[in-house]
Amino acid sequence: MGILVDNNSRVIVQGMTGREGASHSRAMKEFGTQVVAGVTPGKGGTDFEGWPVYNSVAEAKAAHDANVSIIFVPPAGAADAVLEAAHAGMPLIVLITEGVPTVDMMKAVQEVKALDAVSRAEGGQGIRLIGGNCPGLVTNGQAKVGIMPNKIYTNPGRIGLISRSGTLTYEAAKLLNDAGMGTSTTVGIGGDPVIGTTFADVLPLFEADPDTDAIVVIGEIGGADEEAAAEYIAKHMKKPVVAFISGRSAPKGKRMGHAGAIIMGDVGTPESKLAAFAAANVPVADTMPEIIELVKKALNK
Amino acid sequence: MKLHEYQGKEILRQFGVNVQDGKVARTPDEVRQIAREYGQPVVVKAQVHVGGRGKAGGVKFSPTEDKAFENGEKILGMDIKGLTVNKVLVTKAVDIDAGVEYYVGMIVDRNVQSYTLMASAEGGMEIEEVAAATPEKIIKHRVDPVAGLRPYEAREVAIKAGFKGNLNKIADMMVKMSKAALERDAVLVEINPLFVGPDGIPLALDTKFEIDDNAMYRHQDLADWRELEAEHPLEIEASKYGFAYVKLDDGNVGVLGNGAGIVMTSLDVVNRAGAKPANFLDIGGGAKAEVVYNAVKLVSKDTDVKAIFINIFGGITRADEVAKGVIQALKDGILTKPVRMRIAGTAEDEAKALLAEVGSPLIQMYPTMFEAADEAAKDANAAEGK
């Protein structure tokens, strides 16, 4: 089953005919994802490697009963692409694009939340944005809506994975795979300062998922997402959660690639994150392989 | 992109903020000229991209033209935290004791997914110090990114912070600062001190302004303001290649990998191995041999680097491409320091075969990041006689 995506997901790709959009459309199809159509304004009515291409999300959604959109639109148009999908009523929007201006993301995230609230108030399924600057999400053996390498997500397992970092998601998924555990759903939430979905937004979905037994949270320095997650875990989670924090030795005040990974004063320090997880009884691995030991321990309790 | 004080003030002025008059000088003679023009005491302020200018002697009150000239001589050419002062801002002096100094600022706050407006009656100080010692003295307010800051919100915040003076004018200044932040894609904007004189009118005496690099494409009019000489030379070279690169102090191991998360973790692993990372270098995804070659070239130029640790988890990135890049650097004589690599993923076996063919002790591959980091740390420490 997994959360958010499965083999019933009907996916459209915004920016399918671009270089990234094209190669990842193929990779998602190879994984087994139901990629049903592409959207490239101006190329509506054409065919791209067997996929019909539409001028707008609304047209593609209506024609294919699509319920997920993945976006590979360049930074300047990315937030607009998110809003197009949200206004078309797309329940799940995954923004892969890196380098979207923060002000654009602030505005887009706010509008998506407002549309989500309206949709729910009207009895609809809501609208959720994941990303930007994220690797997407994958439910092993069912569907991938993202850019992760296919071959490390072969074994369906029962560990949920949430991460702010792309490469560390792959690293953790491979470790879990090699340890014979495997993942249920992996959600890369993205490393930008303003993103659509946070750790604390994903945790309840795993808590409710009958196919997930434990959750691994891969955090990093900067921001207070991990602290918020720890608070949520302490209050609401019954399933065990194990954490890892990247960048614990990074110097203060330096921006480490991810726009979000910067320590400002005492906010977002490794110490505050470790303390928050300790207070929530969440074990934190010192190294990535240690995650496996901690998960095993948590499951045996 | 960080802006100088005078540049930040120029932007605030464009948005209608009442800013302290000032002019930029590059020579002591120019400083004297401006002081003469103003005909009143001036303040000479170093324009460099670091905090703590005042404490370093980079800000000097100058009651006379001669004193201004003398201070200009002292400050121009001065070294503040490794950066040379090439220009100063000469401003009209204000009788600080006659009024009060406040703080207002806006920062991108991921926790509220928008800007947070901050205000404090403890102006003139580093806000981080106020936040650490007396966080209750900073009033925070989320700014709606679509509507922007409304005057009534600004007044409410000013009242809560305990601001005295013409509240409407103070709130108006905050609203204009907020407009500047939203329209100029600020990551951070501060007016500190915000000086309120005996007339109750607010005046911006100093500002910090930093623009979102992702949004620079729509601020081409400010592109000339980017000063490469104010950045580390290797950081400039790295930006030409499109790498995310950060030079770190006191390090001896060069660190490179594909993705911010894995590179941050690599720094942690090097520390655990008993050495110090000399840099952070993210080569991005899907790197070809040439990109790796350039990355190795860049890191090798850093004389602090005694060994290089490469940590790649390849999905799109192919291990053999990484190996090819490193081998080419060796062949060209660029690589003279040991490279310890862990490359997991696509084409791992091809990479091993290529390295075996070359058979250089300088380049070794290890099955885990820990082993590779341990070896790099050992090599680096040995080279330093540790």
Side-chain angles (χ1 to χ4, degrees):
Chain A
M1 277 288 289
I3 59 166
L4 295 164
V5 291
D6 56 27
N7 47 21
N8 294 315
S9 300
R10 300 175 61 79
V11 181
I12 61 164
V13 181
Q14 288 176 257
M16 177 186 262
T17 56
R19 194 169 59 103
E20 295 286 307
S23 72
H24 289 294
S25 294
R26 287 179 213 120
M28 285 190 282
K29 185 183 169 192
E30 275 164 30
F31 191 87
T33 310
Q34 283 196 63
V35 177
V36 293
V39 175
T40 300
K43 289 195 181 165
T46 63
D47 170 282
F48 183 77
E49 297 183 13
W51 284 297
V53 176
Y54 295 85
N55 282 324
S56 75
V57 174
E59 284 169 24
K61 183 175 181 282
H64 298 273
D65 196 22
N67 53 11
V68 183
S69 183
I70 180 167
I71 300 174
F72 292 97
V73 172
D80 185 56
V82 167
L83 293 175
E84 183 187 348
H87 281 279
M90 194 60 81
L92 181 64
I93 305 160
V94 181
L95 175 62
I96 303 295
T97 312
E98 186 177 348
V100 183
T102 303
V103 167
D104 293 3
M105 282 308 293
M106 288 174 183
K107 292 178 180 170
V109 164
Q110 156 136 330
E111 204 165 328
V112 168
K113 290 211 159 143
L115 291 168
D116 175 59
V118 170
S119 164
R120 284 172 195 281
E122 289 172 349
Q125 49 187 326
I127 292 164
R128 178 188 296 277
L129 168 66
I130 295 188
N133 189 16
C134 80
L137 60 165
V138 49
T139 294
N140 285 9
Q142 298 210 31
K144 177 182 84 163
V145 182
I147 59 170
M148 300 88 163
N150 286 354
K151 65 177 182 186
I152 53 171
Y153 292 96
T154 47
N155 293 345
R158 302 188 58 85
I159 311 298
L161 186 58
I162 327 171
S163 171
R164 266 166 77 182
S165 146
T167 30
L168 292 186
T169 323
Y170 312 160
E171 191 92 46
K174 186 170 188 305
L175 284 167
L176 288 162
N177 238 347
D178 292 352
M181 286 193 267
T183 45
S184 51
T185 299
T186 294
V187 185
I189 59 171
D192 275 355
V194 177
I195 50 176
T197 297
T198 64
F199 287 132
D201 295 330
V202 180
L203 285 165
L205 307 178
F206 277 129
E207 179 73 14
D209 176 30
D211 291 328
T212 297
D213 294 333
I215 301 106
V216 174
V217 171
I218 312 271
E220 63 189 24
I221 55 162
D225 271 19
E226 291 78 4
E227 287 86 337
E231 206 180 315
Y232 184 86
I233 292 163
K235 279 192 193 145
H236 306 287
M237 297 287 287
K238 295 201 168 57
K239 291 179 183 174
V241 182
V242 165
F244 175 78
I245 296 159
S246 167
R248 280 157 73 167
S249 63
K252 285 189 182 186
K254 296 265 190 182
R255 199 179 300 278
M256 294 293 147
H258 276 179
I262 177 170
I263 301 175
M264 303 291 282
D266 285 328
V267 180
T269 61
E271 293 77 21
S272 80
K273 293 179 194 297
L274 290 173
F277 281 128
N281 284 321
V282 173
V284 180
D286 275 338
T287 65
M288 295 212 65
E290 206 187 316
I291 291 170
I292 303 303
E293 305 311 314
L294 294 179
V295 170
K296 280 183 184 162
K297 227 186 264 177
L299 289 174
N300 286 334
K301 259 183 195 165
Chain B
M1 179 172 85
K2 278 184 185 170
L3 302 186
H4 284 303
E5 174 191 353
Y6 75 90
Q7 296 165 332
K9 280 179 166 173
E10 179 53 37
I11 290 181
L12 289 177
R13 203 176 275 124
Q14 286 165 8
F15 281 84
V17 172
N18 186 26
V19 175
Q20 168 74 326
D21 282 340
K23 283 182 178 170
V24 175
R26 286 176 177 76
T27 65
D29 284 326
E30 282 174 20
V31 175
R32 183 196 293 278
Q33 188 54 43
I34 298 164
R36 181 173 302 159
E37 199 180 306
Y38 284 151
Q40 68 167 81
V42 295
V43 182
V44 182
K45 305 166 98 174
Q47 300 294 292
V48 276
H49 292 304
V50 287
R53 290 174 306 171
K55 281 178 201 152
V59 178
K60 290 200 184 296
F61 176 73
S62 316
T64 64
E65 265 179 58
D66 286 344
K67 197 70 191 165
F69 177 86
E70 203 178 292
N71 286 333
E73 269 188 322
K74 271 188 202 151
I75 295 172
L76 284 160
M78 195 177 164
D79 183 281
I80 301 180
K81 295 181 187 171
L83 292 173
T84 307
V85 180
N86 294 316
K87 44 192 170 180
V88 290
L89 177 64
V90 184
T91 67
K92 285 182 183 172
V94 163
D95 181 7
I96 296 285
D97 296 335
V100 278
E101 293 175 281
Y102 297 134
Y103 168 95
V104 293
M106 287 210 344
I107 188 164
V108 169
D109 184 348
R110 60 186 300 147
N111 302 319
V112 298
Q113 292 169 318
S114 186
Y115 284 109
T116 286
L117 170 73
M118 298 177 291
S120 175
E122 304 287 310
M125 287 178 63
E126 290 279 334
I127 200 66
E128 290 84 359
E129 288 167 25
V130 181
T134 49
E136 71 282 358
K137 287 189 175 163
I138 301 175
I139 303 304
K140 292 182 176 175
H141 177 80
R142 179 184 185 271
V143 176
D144 185 300
V146 178
L149 181 70
R150 270 79 59 99
Y152 83 88
E153 295 174 282
R155 282 197 304 276
E156 225 169 74
V157 169
I159 291 165
K160 274 192 200 156
F163 287 5
K164 304 278 188 291
N166 187 326
L167 273 182
N168 280 322
K169 287 221 155 66
I170 294 172
D172 182 56
M173 180 186 262
M174 288 156 79
V175 167
K176 283 169 174 161
M177 178 186 78
S178 155
K179 275 197 184 123
L182 275 156
E183 286 181 30
R184 285 304 202 167
D185 287 287
V187 175
L188 165 87
V189 50
E190 287 181 351
I191 298 175
N192 184 32
L194 185 170
F195 178 73
V196 179
D199 56 359
I201 308 292
L203 177 66
L205 291 192
D206 195 354
T207 183
K208 265 191 198 167
F209 210 109
E210 189 177 345
I211 295 177
D212 179 4
D213 286 321
N214 287 343
M216 276 308 290
Y217 70 88
R218 54 189 176 209
H219 302 290
Q220 279 311 307
D221 56 324
L222 308 183
D224 293 347
W225 284 2
R226 173 152 268 161
E227 287 170 6
L228 293 179
E229 71 269 23
E231 294 167 22
H232 193 283
L234 287 181
E235 290 183 356
I236 299 163
E237 194 174 334
S239 69
K240 281 183 205 152
Y241 296 130
F243 297 144
Y245 171 89
V246 181
K247 168 73 183 151
L248 302 173
D249 298 332
D250 309 320
N252 56 3
V253 176
V255 179
L256 61 104
N258 60 330
I262 201 168
V263 184
M264 270 197 281
T265 289
S266 305
L267 302 182
D268 297 344
V269 174
V270 167
N271 265 297
R272 288 176 66 88
K276 288 268 178 207
N279 68 275
F280 167 105
L281 200 169
D282 175 7
I283 60 170
K288 295 282 181 223
E290 194 194 341
V291 172
V292 177
Y293 177 89
N294 288 331
V296 170
K297 186 167 132 188
L298 184 78
V299 173
S300 296
K301 277 188 189 166
D302 183 343
T303 51
D304 293 345
V305 169
K306 306 293 185 242
I308 299 169
F309 168 40
I310 299 180
N311 191 7
I312 305 279
F313 194 106
I316 322 163
T317 311
R318 290 177 59 94
D320 55 347
E321 287 289 326
V322 177
K324 276 181 203 163
V326 178
I327 292 167
Q328 192 57 47
L330 180 78
K331 285 184 177 158
D332 290 359
I334 285 164
L335 186 66
T336 51
K337 297 160 187 175
V339 173
R340 307 304 176 215
M341 312 194 279
R342 173 268 196 165
I343 329 171
T346 318
E348 206 176 306
D349 294 337
E350 288 90 326
K352 271 186 202 145
L354 286 170
L355 291 173
E357 208 174 291
V358 176
S360 166
L362 275 184
I363 318 171
Q364 296 292 327
M365 218 168 123
Y366 300 85
T368 72
M369 66 167 92
F370 303 101
E371 289 159 81
D374 280 347
E375 286 306 313
K378 235 184 264 172
D379 291 330
N381 288 342
E384 288 186 326
K386 282 184 194 162

